[in-house]
Amino acid sequence: MIQLRISSPSHLTDDVLEVLGSDPAVSSLAVVRGASLRPVGDVVHADVAREAANDLVDRLRDRGVHEEGTVHIEPVRAWFSRRGYEADRLAPGASADSVVWADVTQRAYEESELNWTYVSFMCLATLIAGIAIILDSQILVIGAMVLGPEFGAVAALGVALVRRRFTLFGIAARTLVTGFAVSIAVTRWRPSWAGGSAGSPWRTSWESALRQPSSTRPTSGRSSSRSSPPPPVCSP
């Protein structure tokens, strides 16, 4: 069950009530006349079965409610109502399997936004992935995958293709390309902030130490090979 809260101009309120009132998936409907100040008009509340939310939102969009008013979609965590149960039963499909595309699209726009947080996490993930390649460490590879924020932009590309939102597709593609470009540039720039330039003795020794097998890599203050304990003496 979800709740629609619509701030509607006065001349569109009757259209909104017609759309919501004629749908059996709407279990409750209320209107407060003159309650909205911006836009000047009314506030409409409706409880809707989750399975029918996409159809109602599309019909409200066709009436132009989103152009002059506002449609809020809020999930209902708990409810008990005979009419709500009947509306949920009459709506086609299952509530657990239904997807509210307006909610998914909104999150896709938010998670594909190019900002400093996205670029910072992208750079950190790329650096960790580079160290994982040098050390041949699966744990660091998994850590880079967990830290990388690119999944939101990749998912936004899929949502844009399914919903035919070309603006979202452009935003997600720009975020991915810019994020990867900046992170690769920062990773290539590593020698200048790591304490040496390309080809310096410090960097050469550092990279050669990282490329050494872990079994032969020296440890601080200890010998790399440990002597085995003497065999036990057996008395006759």
Side-chain angles (χ1 to χ4, degrees):
M1 183 71 67
I2 64 173
Q3 184 183 64
L4 299 181
R5 180 165 57 88
I6 305 169
S7 297
S8 171
S10 301
H11 65 278
L12 289 178
T13 302
D14 292 338
D15 293 339
V16 172
L17 295 177
E18 179 184 355
V19 170
L20 298 176
S22 61
D23 198 308
V26 178
S27 61
S28 64
L29 181 61
V31 57
V32 183
R33 299 285 183 179
S36 178
L37 299 180
R38 185 179 300 174
V40 178
D42 312 315
V43 176
V44 180
H45 295 271
D47 292 333
V48 182
R50 184 181 179 88
E51 303 91 313
N54 291 320
D55 180 60
L56 286 175
V57 170
D58 291 339
R59 291 164 62 186
L60 291 174
R61 184 187 298 272
D62 294 338
R63 299 296 179 98
V65 178
H66 66 292
E67 297 289 347
E68 302 182 49
T70 305
V71 179
H72 288 188
I73 303 175
E74 301 176 356
V76 179
R77 297 184 58 184
W79 57 273
F80 54 96
S81 169
R82 170 61 64 178
R83 294 180 60 88
Y85 172 77
E86 294 295 335
D88 189 66
R89 187 177 61 85
L90 293 175
S95 176
D97 298 333
S98 58
V99 177
V100 181
W101 285 109
D103 183 29
V104 174
T105 305
Q106 178 69 30
R107 285 187 293 163
Y109 273 104
E110 294 175 354
E111 295 178 3
S112 60
E113 180 183 359
L114 183 62
N115 48 40
W116 287 109
T117 302
Y118 179 90
V119 174
S120 300
F121 277 97
M122 198 70 187
C123 293
L124 290 175
T126 305
L127 289 172
I128 294 175
I131 297 174
I133 294 175
I134 296 176
L135 297 180
D136 192 17
S137 173
Q138 297 180 357
I139 296 179
L140 290 180
V141 171
I142 297 174
M145 294 170 60
V146 173
L147 191 62
E150 73 282 356
F151 177 78
V154 174
L157 290 177
V159 174
L161 291 176
V162 172
R163 301 294 292 174
R164 297 181 181 179
R165 300 292 183 91
F166 300 107
T167 302
L168 177 60
F169 186 89
I171 294 174
R174 183 196 62 181
T175 300
L176 280 176
V177 173
T178 305
F180 278 115
V182 172
S183 59
I184 292 173
V186 170
T187 305
R188 294 283 296 176
W189 186 59
R190 179 191 58 188
S192 61
W193 56 260
S197 59
S200 63
W202 183 90
R203 186 172 187 269
T204 304
S205 61
W206 180 75
E207 289 187 347
S208 61
L210 288 178
R211 289 192 176 95
Q212 280 184 331
S214 58
S215 58
T216 61
R217 192 175 302 159
T219 57
S220 57
R222 296 182 182 180
S223 175
S224 58
S225 60
R226 297 182 179 179
S227 58
S228 58
V233 180
C234 299
S235 57

